[in-house]
Amino acid sequence: MDIKHLQYFIEVANYNSFTRAADHLFITQPTISKMIKNLENDLGVELFDRSGKKLSLTDAGRVVYEQALLINKAFNNLETEMDNLLGLKKGHIRIGLPPIIDSTFFPKLIGRFHQKYPNITFQLIEDGSKKIEESVADDSLDIGIIMLPTNPNLFHHVSFIKEDLKLILHPTHPYASKQKVQLADLKDENFIMFNKEYALRDLIISSCNRAGFNPRIMSESSRWDFIEELVACKMGVALLPESICQQLSNQVQAVEITNPSLDWNLGIIWRKEQYLSYAAKEWLRFMIETISPNSCDVNKL
């Protein structure tokens, strides 16, 4: 049995005639008669009383007719929904974003996408890179924005921002007047760090270790603006991406860090071998073509 059997059956029941139903469907009368007979054989019941002059439904036929109407309606709704999805008239995308990212960057990008696809909705989850990776891995999120590197065996990824970290100081700090500060010179400083969910924290600690010291962590936060305020209150120093430093107030001073310089590399990830909705795929195409057009073949998404 397939949907055509039920649709042909509905037409015959509506017209009480094989001939009129066949004419309406632009098929031959023997074809529709055979389809109905096959349906009756599949169900093991007679659907029509053919003994009289007028074709009529049997008791079983009336039950099947009521259910066939529901099934056909659901099938038509499914076709409409699929058309909506394929035409991207609707959809929902779950994206993980680190709070450390420029607060104006993604709203502008999403706004441009919304103008093109106004009925696609977004769920934006702010979290650290580690948690975002976990959520993409377990399908709680479709797409994540994280600090690279990531696990290439588990995720596809595209890099789109790479910039230096800068040292954030109170303006009265002795190093605030310098143009450059070596990382090893910070061995006696108190550090204001992101919390343990943030890969940036791991980068800073491992870089300090390679420079010969373990950073003394005075305080932790999940918000860069709170870190800025703590530095402004002379609680310690911090290391933040250059794009964030451009948004800081004059309560703090940004200084270049050297020997080594620290790179902050932000990228898009999505799970390998994981189903992505049409809306999520289109968002990936749109985002990659907008911010990193030469990074991968978007036609393969």
Side-chain angles (χ1 to χ4, degrees):
M1 183 199 313
D2 62 27
I3 191 66
K4 283 295 183 186
H5 287 85
L6 293 177
Q7 290 171 335
Y8 288 0
F9 165 68
I10 290 170
E11 290 299 311
V12 174
N14 286 341
Y15 284 102
N16 291 319
S17 167
F18 285 98
T19 302
R20 291 173 62 194
D23 290 342
H24 183 253
L25 293 168
F26 300 101
I27 59 175
T28 64
Q29 192 271 335
T31 297
I32 199 169
S33 296
K34 183 179 179 180
M35 294 286 277
I36 298 303
K37 193 62 180 176
N38 288 341
L39 180 60
E40 289 177 323
N41 291 337
D42 286 342
L43 296 173
V45 295
E46 288 191 0
L47 299 173
F48 292 100
D49 181 357
R50 299 170 174 81
S51 61
K53 292 183 178 180
K54 186 177 180 181
L55 191 69
S56 61
L57 287 169
T58 63
D59 290 344
R62 281 191 287 272
V63 172
V64 174
Y65 178 72
E66 290 175 1
Q67 296 303 311
L69 290 175
L70 295 175
I71 293 169
N72 190 50
K73 182 178 180 181
F75 180 78
N76 289 334
N77 288 342
L78 176 62
E79 286 190 318
T80 299
E81 290 297 305
M82 289 305 298
D83 286 343
N84 284 339
L85 284 173
L86 293 172
L88 293 173
K89 296 176 184 176
K90 64 192 302 184
H92 185 67
I93 309 169
R94 305 164 301 168
I95 303 175
L97 296 171
I100 194 172
I101 200 167
D102 183 343
S103 60
T104 64
F105 179 75
F106 267 89
K108 289 179 180 178
L109 203 61
I110 290 172
R112 289 171 58 188
F113 187 83
H114 175 71
Q115 290 179 353
K116 192 174 182 180
Y117 304 110
N119 295 318
I120 291 179
T121 57
F122 285 86
Q123 179 184 7
L124 303 176
I125 304 296
E126 285 191 306
D127 221 321
S129 290
K130 295 179 184 178
K131 182 61 177 176
I132 290 173
E133 276 189 309
E134 291 174 6
S135 297
V136 174
D138 68 17
D139 197 33
S140 300
L141 291 173
D142 302 307
I143 298 161
I145 308 301
I146 67 161
M147 195 182 89
L148 299 175
T150 189
N151 183 348
N153 296 319
L154 192 59
F155 302 108
H156 295 290
H157 69 278
V158 174
S159 172
F160 67 92
I161 291 178
K162 191 171 184 179
E163 59 189 34
D164 290 336
L165 298 184
K166 285 197 168 185
L167 175 63
I168 308 304
L169 305 158
H170 189 273
T172 62
H173 192 287
Y175 292 156
S177 60
K178 293 189 174 185
Q179 293 202 350
K180 297 180 181 180
V181 174
Q182 294 191 36
L183 186 59
D185 292 339
L186 305 178
K187 60 183 176 59
D188 296 324
E189 298 291 336
N190 294 324
F191 279 75
I192 314 298
M193 292 274 200
F194 281 97
N195 62 37
K196 294 179 181 179
E197 295 295 330
Y198 289 77
L200 180 55
R201 172 197 175 99
D202 294 345
L203 171 66
I204 293 170
I205 292 175
S206 63
S207 297
C208 290
N209 291 162
R210 286 195 296 273
F213 71 99
N214 197 45
R216 185 168 62 240
I217 300 174
M218 177 58 64
S219 185
E220 300 174 348
S221 177
S222 62
R223 293 171 46 186
W224 65 261
D225 56 338
F226 195 68
I227 290 175
E228 176 195 4
E229 289 298 326
L230 290 176
V231 173
C233 291
K234 300 184 179 181
M235 289 283 291
V237 302
L239 293 167
L240 293 176
E242 188 173 0
S243 57
I244 296 300
C245 294
Q246 294 171 2
Q247 302 181 56
L248 301 179
S249 69
N250 57 9
Q251 297 182 91
V252 296
Q253 182 73 31
V255 177
E256 184 178 344
I257 196 81
T258 63
N259 195 26
S261 60
L262 281 68
D263 291 333
W264 183 64
N265 189 3
L266 211 60
I268 315 162
I269 63 165
W270 63 101
R271 175 83 183 268
K272 289 184 175 180
E273 311 302 329
Q274 182 72 38
Y275 171 78
L276 275 180
S277 68
Y278 293 105
K281 286 181 180 178
E282 186 60 24
W283 165 253
L284 271 174
R285 288 193 186 95
F286 173 82
M287 185 175 177
I288 292 170
E289 287 175 346
T290 301
I291 62 181
S292 190
N294 299 318
S295 58
C296 72
D297 184 358
V298 293
N299 293 318
K300 293 181 179 179
L301 293 175

